[in-house]
Amino acid sequence: MEERALLPHLFRTEYQKLVSVLCYLFGIEHIAVAEDIVSDTFLAATELWSVKGVPDNPTAWLYTVAKNKTKNWLKRNSFFQQKLMVDLQHNTPQGEEIEIDLSEQNITDSQLAMIFTVCHPSIPTESQIALALNLLCGFGAQEIADAYLTNKEVIYKRINRAKEKLKEADIKIQQPTLAEINDRLETVLKTLYLLFSEGYYSTSNNAVLRKDLCIEAMRLNYLLVEHPHTNKPVVNALLALMCFHSSRFDARLNDTGGVILYEDQDETRWNRELIERGEYYLNEAAATPTITKYHLEAAIAYWHTHKADSGEKWESILDLYNHLLILEYSPIAALNRAFALAKVKGKQQAIPEAEKLQLTGNYFYHALLGNLYTDIDDHKALQYYETALQLANSPADKELMTKNIDQLNHKQNN
């Protein structure tokens, strides 16, 4: 990796690990201290590496400097001497120096503890996501704001609100008990699901950022799969869903950032390794009689890794959407079901199913009806596409609707 790209890469991969370990050591009320120490570590790397060059093992260098900065902080800060050091020394054998454990196992344990802390039910969902992106994934406020198409002041408020909630509730960063895992796992998975969705379906035009969001959600999900207490079928189902979706990530956009519809995607650009991993996790998820929305969505995504249209494929997808809507209704799932219905029963049957949803302020609703009415009533199709164009947020969606409108106008004029 080029030196210029190395430090940003290490910041993305190591920052959140170091913060998690220090928060695990200090407690949630000292998040700011942990973040300051780790930020100082990366600042030192920026300054020294530009002069002396990159060390042979840059990750080990960061860990050593972070350890030393932490020990120096503990020695010189009076609050820590009077309060925190008493607790830390109580848990340290007499005569031994307090150790900053940056072993792989402690990093994993710290991150697992942080996941369940960040996803505490006392924190509003939007603040959970912002805090997860910031603390667990190392995203800055501006990057999170870009993903959410808002300004960084809003994100700062969400993050600080979440931190204050944790302090007020005196939430401890510790390994979750089996009872806490059972109580909070649903919230944890929902947070990871929303984090992944923000990357995969984001209206941000920053393709690199969008992909990074998906990768971080998958990394955190993988931590859960690797831990014996959280390696549950539902966790595997969510990871399978992420693998299947992300396998088609690079095929969804063209070189200019425009949307490539599913039927037009180049199958050779799909990541076969991710598809195989998804199949593995989906099989692991089957080890339960309980079916969740993640099982059903993963199965739908599995069928979308088979490019060729077939009766079995679309009938299976339609059946899965029927079960999903019974289990947990959502308007978007209902829209997707209408598309699957068109594939199985024809557009004429799908149109009334879509129209009865009355999602008049939704871009996807009008885009779908534009598609369904094409070749049946092109005038109506044009109206729906024009409304979709007005509702589109991203340049890629605007470009797609403009293309559809141009094609229909050309067809009507010839």
Side-chain angles (χ1 to χ4, degrees):
M1 183 177 292
E2 294 181 8
E3 289 186 17
R4 183 175 58 183
L6 177 61
L7 203 53
H9 169 74
L10 288 171
F11 186 87
R12 175 74 77 232
T13 59
E14 306 305 323
Y15 175 89
Q16 76 279 356
K17 294 178 184 177
L18 291 168
V19 169
S20 294
V21 168
L22 295 184
C23 283
Y24 196 31
L25 181 68
F26 295 159
I28 197 70
E29 65 270 27
H30 302 299
I31 288 177
V33 173
E35 291 177 315
D36 285 345
I37 291 172
V38 179
S39 295
D40 283 348
T41 298
F42 278 91
L43 180 60
T46 302
E47 294 172 346
L48 290 174
W49 295 3
S50 63
V51 176
K52 298 183 178 181
V54 177
D56 292 337
N57 189 334
T59 302
W61 187 97
L62 289 170
Y63 284 13
T64 300
V65 171
K67 282 184 180 183
N68 291 335
K69 284 184 176 293
T70 303
K71 291 175 182 178
N72 289 337
W73 187 287
L74 289 170
K75 288 175 183 177
R76 71 172 183 263
N77 188 281
S78 59
F79 173 81
F80 277 84
Q81 285 291 333
Q82 296 167 15
K83 304 287 186 182
L84 186 61
M85 283 290 283
V86 175
D87 294 331
L88 293 178
Q89 287 170 342
H90 180 72
N91 295 315
T92 302
Q94 191 170 2
E96 290 187 18
E97 185 178 9
I98 292 169
E99 180 57 34
I100 315 302
D101 185 358
L102 287 171
S103 65
E104 184 177 343
Q105 183 60 53
N106 194 53
I107 288 173
T108 299
D109 289 344
S110 300
Q111 289 187 292
L112 183 68
M114 284 291 285
I115 290 173
F116 278 84
T117 301
V118 167
C119 296
H120 193 273
S122 67
I123 306 175
T125 299
E126 62 178 16
S127 295
Q128 280 183 8
I129 300 295
L131 190 60
L133 286 168
N134 181 240
L135 281 185
L136 300 176
C137 306
F139 287 100
Q142 187 61 61
E143 290 177 295
I144 301 170
D146 289 343
Y148 276 90
L149 298 179
T150 187
N151 60 67
K152 65 180 181 181
E153 284 72 27
V154 171
I155 299 303
Y156 274 131
K157 288 180 180 177
R158 290 180 186 175
I159 292 171
N160 290 332
R161 194 179 301 126
K163 290 177 180 178
E164 287 303 315
K165 276 281 187 184
L166 291 173
K167 289 180 185 178
E168 290 169 8
D170 194 26
I171 305 303
K172 305 298 182 187
I173 302 179
Q174 56 195 9
Q175 287 305 300
T177 64
L178 290 176
E180 287 171 333
I181 288 172
N182 291 331
D183 288 344
R184 292 192 209 169
L185 187 59
E186 184 178 348
T187 304
V188 169
L189 295 182
K190 181 181 178 182
T191 299
L192 297 185
Y193 177 82
L194 292 173
L195 174 54
F196 182 87
S197 297
E198 187 57 47
Y200 197 75
Y201 299 108
S202 173
T203 51
S204 166
N205 208 34
N206 185 337
V208 175
L209 174 60
R210 292 172 63 198
K211 194 170 185 178
D212 280 353
L213 290 172
C214 293
I215 290 170
E216 284 302 310
M218 293 177 73
R219 181 183 66 82
L220 295 173
N221 199 339
Y222 184 72
L223 285 178
L224 298 178
V225 164
E226 286 294 287
H227 195 282
H229 291 159
T230 53
N231 183 23
K232 297 177 179 290
V234 64
V235 178
N236 282 271
L238 180 55
L239 189 51
L241 169 63
M242 292 180 181
C243 287
F244 290 138
H245 276 323
S246 58
S247 72
R248 295 189 289 109
F249 200 101
D250 291 334
R252 294 170 67 235
L253 300 175
N254 59 30
D255 293 337
T256 62
V259 174
I260 302 176
L261 296 176
Y262 173 74
E263 56 265 27
D264 298 325
Q265 289 176 12
D266 180 356
E267 191 177 353
T268 63
R269 296 190 67 190
W270 293 359
N271 188 317
R272 301 309 307 181
E273 182 180 353
L274 277 173
I275 292 173
E276 290 172 4
R277 294 305 296 171
E279 291 172 352
Y280 169 81
Y281 292 122
L282 188 57
N283 285 331
E284 292 292 298
T288 177
T290 304
I291 301 299
T292 69
K293 80 166 199 167
Y294 302 121
H295 286 83
L296 295 170
E297 289 192 26
I300 291 168
Y302 161 79
W303 279 108
H304 279 90
T305 63
H306 296 68
K307 183 68 182 293
D309 275 353
S310 69
E312 180 190 13
K313 171 183 173 178
W314 287 108
E315 285 168 9
S316 296
I317 290 174
L318 179 59
D319 184 57
L320 288 163
Y321 272 122
N322 289 337
H323 282 87
L324 180 61
L325 289 170
I326 293 170
L327 183 67
E328 187 172 322
Y329 180 86
S330 82
I332 296 301
L335 277 179
N336 289 333
R337 177 193 175 276
F339 181 80
L341 182 64
K343 288 286 189 178
V344 176
K345 303 283 189 178
K347 289 184 174 183
Q348 292 281 13
Q349 285 202 38
I351 286 172
E353 289 293 309
E355 286 185 326
K356 74 181 183 182
L357 298 173
Q358 287 295 298
L359 302 172
T360 54
N362 185 287
Y363 160 78
F364 295 105
Y365 171 77
H366 294 278
L368 173 63
L369 281 165
N371 174 281
L372 295 178
Y373 270 111
T374 297
D375 296 329
I376 293 176
D377 186 335
D378 286 345
H379 178 68
K380 267 195 170 182
L382 194 58
Q383 289 179 323
Y384 277 115
Y385 278 143
E386 287 172 345
T387 304
L389 177 60
Q390 294 172 4
L391 294 170
N393 287 318
S394 74
D397 288 335
K398 290 179 186 295
E399 180 185 332
L400 178 61
M401 290 304 103
T402 300
K403 178 183 175 182
N404 290 338
I405 290 168
D406 289 344
Q407 287 176 342
L408 281 177
N409 283 328
H410 179 75
K411 180 181 174 183
Q412 290 180 346
N413 293 331
N414 287 292

